[in-house]
Amino acid sequence: NVVGSIPLITGDYQIPVKTISDDLVKIGNEAWMLHLEPPCMKFSDLPLALRIIGEDFTQDHEVLLDGNAYPSNFIIYINPVEIQMQVIPGFFPADPQGTEYVIQIRNPNNGLVSNGLIFIVYKAGMPSSC
């Protein structure tokens, strides 16, 4: 699998190509999310530190929740492959079947947005697949 992008404007470019895993190659140096730890949780377990694991994160990247910037005071940049997000109950209401939220990373300098990953919050017990 190949992810990322190349410029669409004619010209000469030096574009990084990075092997992320046995089955993933990334083109370019924009943020890419690989997985969330945990991928889901019970509402009663909030607040919680959600680990966003990926590639090419920087301190100025923003975390988006369903397309909206999550408050920066709840975001901790750890290193280029991890950002921690404090999951606060007020931002994550849930219903019994579980509410899906899309998490993304945005570069405020150029407006580019990473792939999205689903984070699910359950009102009560979680399914075993979580």
Side-chain angles (χ1 to χ4, degrees):
N1 295 321
V2 178
V3 298
S5 63
I6 59 174
L8 299 176
I9 300 171
T10 303
D12 292 331
Y13 299 93
Q14 291 185 356
I15 301 170
V17 177
K18 185 188 302 185
T19 301
I20 304 294
S21 65
D22 290 342
D23 63 349
L24 184 64
V25 173
K26 185 171 149 305
I27 297 173
N29 55 8
E30 286 302 320
W32 189 263
M33 298 189 316
L34 298 171
H35 63 276
L36 303 174
E37 294 177 7
C40 58
M41 64 178 317
K42 290 188 302 187
F43 184 80
S44 61
D45 291 338
L46 298 179
L48 167 99
L50 174 67
R51 297 179 65 213
I52 302 170
I53 307 298
E55 289 287 330
D56 296 320
F57 299 149
T58 66
Q59 289 186 7
D60 60 341
H61 279 154
E62 300 170 326
V63 175
L64 302 180
L65 176 65
D66 289 338
N68 300 305
Y70 198 71
S72 61
N73 53 320
F74 296 121
I75 305 298
I76 302 168
Y77 170 83
I78 303 298
N79 56 46
V81 299
E82 182 180 349
I83 293 175
Q84 285 189 5
M85 174 181 172
Q86 296 300 313
V87 179
I88 306 302
F91 294 103
F92 293 87
D95 67 40
Q97 283 73 41
T99 302
E100 291 186 355
Y101 297 93
V102 178
I103 308 285
Q104 295 173 291
I105 304 296
R106 178 173 55 202
N107 183 336
N109 299 318
N110 59 21
L112 293 177
V113 177
S114 75
N115 60 313
L117 295 177
I118 301 293
F119 179 66
I120 303 173
V121 177
Y122 293 97
K123 187 93 173 167
M126 295 182 292
S128 60
S129 62
C130 179

